[in-house]
Amino acid sequence: MALLERSQWYDIARSTEWTPRYVTQDELFPPELSGGEGLPDDIWASYDEPYKISYREYVDIQRQKDAGAYSVKAALERSDLYNKADPGWISILKEHYAAVALVEYGASFQESRFIRWSKAPGMRNMATFGMLDEIRHGQIQLFFPHEYVNKDRQFEWSHAAMWSDNWVALGARHFFDDVMMTRDALSTSIFANFSFETGFTNLQFIGLSGDAANAGDFTFSKLIQSIQSDEARHAQLGTPLLQMLIENGQKEEAQKKIDIAFWRSYRLFTILSGIPMDYYVPLEVREASFKEFMEEWIVTQFMRSLEDLGLSKPWYWDIFIRDISEHHHGQQLGTYSWRPTLWWDPAAGVSPEERDWLEEKYPGWNDTFGKVWDVMIDNFVHGRTEKTVPGTLPVICNVSQLPIVGTPSQTLRDISLVHEGRRYHFASEVDKWIFEDDPERYRHHKNLVDRFLGGDIQPADLGGALEYMGLGRVGPGGDDAHGFAWLDSYRKQLATTG
Amino acid sequence: MADHIIDPVGPVLQSGEVARAVADAVVIDNEGRRVDIRDRGSYVRVEVEGGECVLRRSTIAEQLGRPFKMSELELNMPSFVGRIETGTDVFRFYHTFEQTPGAGHEEALS
Ligand SMILES: [Fe+2]
Ligand SMILES: [Fe+2]
């Protein structure tokens, strides 16, 4: 039987537009759910999705993708990666699965809302495949870590973290609720598909795949590239919408959506990708630094796609360029110091050889962040381990929900404002700008410290806070990934000089 | 990373047999334009200068020595540079340069 070429029937198949007779357009597509106010009614039928696929093709290709990923997993299951890989690598798996798997499931709801509420028939059609993609990403990233649960209880967080009030989960959930779950369909697509997916997910899902292969974890390497091949397709959903806005006098609105989503995505990825790439990946298998991956995927590739649409770099570009050499180093210091509050075992990543690498990739690192590590190392080698865990709470940003950090003695300063009687703290001028642009959206949320000081966390001490965050209850908390073995060379130095 | 080509576009591919065939096909299908193939370990960047990269099903099939469906490309393509057009026999990656003068985005990327 001869089959028609896709292009010969595609336009008819996706044309699902009709004129409602029993309800108004606004009842069928409420503006708060659909978005696109001010755009002409006849524009939606002209939405032309760039990346086309038929259902027949979709099923065929997705079956092959799954077969590829699952067969690599099955073939390598007996290779005992868990015991052979560097513990720093295992920590990356724990952090990744817990921060990502359930969020992918959430993304299937995002795509489902496009299927129902998007006013563009072509987008409703493509979002159907996007929804199926995200269900796959949720399921596969719950199934893959499951093989490790009987070896290491921290892997239980893969399923549990996003239901908990762990501080990292609070930050991630706040971000995804903001960009993916609580805006109209058009805005969500620009926030999530365009800014987050065509930009930042590449960093984790392709950038880290090279490190994974080098570390011998071919299962993870294959898995994340397989997932990203779905993203590359459905991430295209947002581009025609941006064109519509720009061509209809709403360029500024389009730019603002991107500016907000870009910054929020970036800051989250300093924790998700930045720390692992520069501190957890074993030194000998590192493909590139976080900064280099940022330059490849974001500064060059993503910015070019933005400019091709006639949009500009975000207004805070200079702040951003400085920040990619800085912020994640501060977050590494913070997360490592607060290691009992993590669901994974952080690697310090600051042996003498690793510090040489950091200094080479980030000139000046030893004189800034290195100095703080010097103090911590001094405490460790002199047996004052209790001094390496802070006794006070960090200040947490009321937008990113992450600790406020900076370069020691250079950029760490409090940026805050009072809104209707409550003081809000921000990790940067950009976070403050995001809050001020839409205080109604952000003002009610309480970050972990707000909850602590407000009496929501009882008893109001470290034990109570750990319990509240699920540590030791949902799953075990963190400690040094290498059992502090990296301190040996510093102990030897001390013995020879002292 | 010295000597970058101007305005590159094209697929980013998972390293392997298909990536090699696509890289060869890109050179053939875009004759006269500079092609930069950058091996990044687990992935390969195939980039054509000048804001357009054409990729034909028949050329990939020839390079692979077996039939090839364009939709199979997705199996091995976690990302791409530029916009995309996805036909049954041809994929095209391109830039349009819809830029309004003086908008401030023509300055070089740092
Ligand atoms: Fe996904
Ligand atoms: Fe996605």
Side-chain angles (χ1 to χ4, degrees):
Chain A
M1 186 183 67
L3 287 173
L4 285 176
E5 300 252 315
R6 190 219 299 140
S7 59
Q8 291 175 278
W9 54 262
Y10 191 84
D11 284 341
I12 301 170
R14 73 171 162 173
S15 169
T16 56
E17 211 53 332
W18 75 100
T19 308
R21 281 188 294 150
Y22 302 106
V23 292
T24 64
Q25 272 293 334
D26 276 3
E27 283 172 319
L28 184 58
F29 295 113
E32 69 272 25
L33 290 168
S34 299
E37 286 121 304
L39 295 178
D41 281 342
D42 59 0
I43 203 171
W44 303 105
S46 73
Y47 176 104
D48 188 28
E49 58 277 23
Y51 202 134
K52 297 179 174 64
I53 194 168
S54 68
Y55 187 65
R56 174 189 286 268
E57 289 168 324
Y58 182 81
V59 172
D60 175 31
I61 294 303
Q62 296 304 101
R63 187 194 58 76
Q64 292 186 56
K65 284 184 189 173
D66 264 359
Y70 281 88
S71 64
V72 170
K73 179 187 193 300
L76 296 177
E77 218 149 272
R78 273 183 221 151
S79 71
D80 197 18
L81 177 92
Y82 180 82
N83 287 307
K84 284 183 188 149
D86 184 278
W89 183 257
I90 301 300
S91 295
I92 291 175
L93 297 182
K94 291 172 185 170
E95 182 184 354
H96 173 93
Y97 284 121
V100 170
L102 265 278
V103 168
E104 300 269 20
Y105 185 59
S108 73
F109 287 92
Q110 169 213 324
E111 298 280 341
S112 310
R113 285 189 290 112
F114 296 164
I115 299 168
R116 171 58 187 88
W117 304 116
S118 174
K119 295 173 92 168
M123 183 173 168
R124 296 198 293 267
N125 180 47
M126 287 312 289
T128 309
F129 300 123
M131 174 192 68
L132 295 171
D133 289 340
E134 301 295 10
I135 291 173
R136 172 171 108 94
H137 303 172
Q139 290 177 339
I140 199 167
Q141 288 176 102
L142 287 176
F143 181 68
F144 275 44
H146 189 261
E147 76 168 273
Y148 299 124
V149 172
N150 63 3
K151 299 187 170 76
D152 186 330
R153 296 285 301 270
Q154 281 181 334
F155 276 100
E156 289 196 15
W157 289 94
S158 305
H159 190 268
M162 278 305 141
W163 304 104
S164 79
D165 285 323
N166 178 276
W167 69 270
V168 183
L170 279 176
R173 214 157 57 213
H174 187 278
F175 167 78
F176 287 109
D177 282 357
D178 188 12
V179 305
M180 196 167 92
M181 305 302 265
T182 56
R183 296 178 189 263
D184 65 75
L186 179 141
S187 299
T188 303
S189 186
I190 292 167
F191 272 77
N193 294 132
F194 184 78
S195 308
F196 177 71
E197 288 179 344
T198 66
F200 286 90
T201 57
N202 285 320
L203 210 61
Q204 179 83 354
F205 285 83
I206 307 179
L208 208 52
S209 72
D211 289 342
N214 294 344
D217 193 348
F218 299 103
T219 305
F220 190 69
S221 179
K222 179 85 186 167
L223 169 71
I224 56 182
Q225 284 209 34
S226 171
I227 288 169
Q228 197 61 15
S229 71
D230 296 357
E231 298 293 319
R233 172 172 32 73
H234 70 235
Q236 295 300 311
L237 280 170
T239 311
L241 298 171
L242 280 169
Q243 277 175 286
M244 286 180 186
L245 291 179
I246 292 162
E247 284 162 16
N248 287 277
Q250 298 191 24
K251 186 171 161 182
E252 262 174 56
E253 287 83 347
Q255 180 79 47
K256 191 162 88 178
K257 291 179 205 300
I258 292 167
D259 288 1
I260 296 170
F262 181 87
W263 183 260
R264 294 220 59 187
S265 302
Y266 158 64
R267 278 295 174 96
L268 183 72
F269 275 80
T270 60
I271 306 255
L272 187 64
S273 310
I275 294 174
M277 284 173 172
D278 283 354
Y279 292 93
Y280 296 0
V281 173
L283 185 60
E284 62 281 8
V285 304
R286 280 178 206 171
E287 193 72 37
S289 69
F290 174 63
K291 185 185 175 191
E292 287 163 339
F293 278 125
M294 284 292 293
E295 281 167 348
E296 176 183 353
W297 291 101
I298 306 297
V299 176
T300 306
Q301 182 170 328
F302 181 67
M303 279 307 136
R304 189 64 194 83
S305 67
L306 201 59
E307 295 186 325
D308 190 52
L309 283 160
L311 295 162
S312 310
K313 298 185 186 93
W315 63 266
Y316 47 76
W317 189 250
D318 295 344
I319 300 176
F320 165 72
I321 291 294
R322 266 199 313 279
D323 209 77
I324 60 178
S325 296
E326 179 177 15
H327 186 76
H328 68 293
H329 296 306
Q331 292 295 0
Q332 161 69 356
L333 268 171
T335 48
Y336 184 83
S337 303
W338 283 98
R339 52 200 177 277
T341 70
L342 306 177
W343 64 69
W344 67 92
D345 294 333
V350 290
S351 68
E353 302 76 35
E354 289 164 319
R355 290 178 66 147
D356 290 345
W357 182 88
L358 284 162
E359 182 65 32
E360 182 202 321
K361 300 292 182 185
Y362 303 91
W365 184 95
N366 269 315
D367 280 337
T368 50
F369 297 99
K371 291 251 164 75
V372 186
W373 282 103
D374 287 341
V375 175
M376 202 167 351
I377 290 163
D378 191 60
N379 281 326
F380 274 128
V381 297
H382 287 98
R384 302 184 296 260
T385 305
E386 74 289 350
K387 284 201 171 172
T388 67
V389 180
T392 54
L393 293 167
V395 184
I396 290 183
C397 175
N398 283 107
V399 170
S400 71
Q401 313 298 318
L402 303 173
I404 297 174
V405 300
T407 302
S409 77
Q410 284 181 19
T411 56
L412 186 58
R413 62 197 183 92
D414 185 32
I415 300 163
S416 69
L417 60 77
V418 175
H419 179 84
E420 297 194 11
R422 180 178 158 194
R423 181 166 291 280
Y424 296 87
H425 299 274
F426 304 103
S428 70
E429 291 293 344
V430 189
D431 291 285
K432 178 164 168 262
W433 169 75
I434 292 171
F435 182 93
E436 285 180 303
D437 179 64
D438 190 358
E440 238 354 86
R441 168 169 284 268
Y442 301 107
R443 55 179 282 224
H444 300 287
H445 189 267
K446 289 200 264 182
N447 70 30
L448 191 75
V449 173
D450 296 329
R451 294 173 197 205
F452 191 85
L453 299 175
D456 299 352
I457 299 173
Q458 294 296 338
D461 54 22
L462 179 62
L466 291 175
E467 164 81 15
Y468 181 84
M469 290 191 282
L471 281 320
R473 179 166 56 82
V474 174
D479 205 349
D480 186 275
H482 300 92
F484 301 103
W486 58 278
L487 285 164
D488 287 351
S489 56
Y490 290 106
R491 288 205 184 89
K492 271 181 214 135
Q493 272 177 22
L494 186 74
T496 50
T497 56
Chain B
M1 287 188 261
D3 193 23
H4 268 313
I5 57 175
I6 307 296
D7 195 19
V9 289
V12 178
L13 299 150
Q14 212 175 112
S15 303
E17 187 204 8
V18 172
R20 281 189 296 275
V22 169
D24 291 342
V26 163
V27 173
I28 296 167
D29 287 342
N30 298 274
E31 212 193 315
R33 289 175 190 258
R34 232 181 101 193
V35 179
D36 197 7
I37 294 163
R38 288 195 280 155
D39 189 342
R40 305 281 282 123
S42 66
Y43 60 96
V44 185
R45 283 185 176 271
V46 180
E47 296 175 336
V48 182
E49 76 173 345
E52 185 177 38
C53 167
V54 172
L55 191 50
R56 291 180 204 287
R57 188 180 61 78
S58 53
T59 319
I60 303 173
E62 268 165 40
Q63 296 306 310
L64 278 173
R66 65 167 170 85
F68 185 79
K69 283 186 280 189
M70 241 17 214
S71 56
E72 282 178 60
L73 193 63
E74 194 185 302
L75 287 171
N76 296 286
M77 187 171 71
S79 184
F80 51 85
V81 182
R83 302 202 210 180
I84 195 169
E85 232 175 63
T86 53
T88 312
D89 291 311
V90 185
F91 271 25
R92 197 168 77 92
F93 306 88
Y94 65 100
H95 277 145
T96 59
F97 296 100
E98 281 175 17
Q99 294 182 339
T100 48
H105 40 259
E106 51 277 332
E107 77 233 53
L109 291 166
S110 38

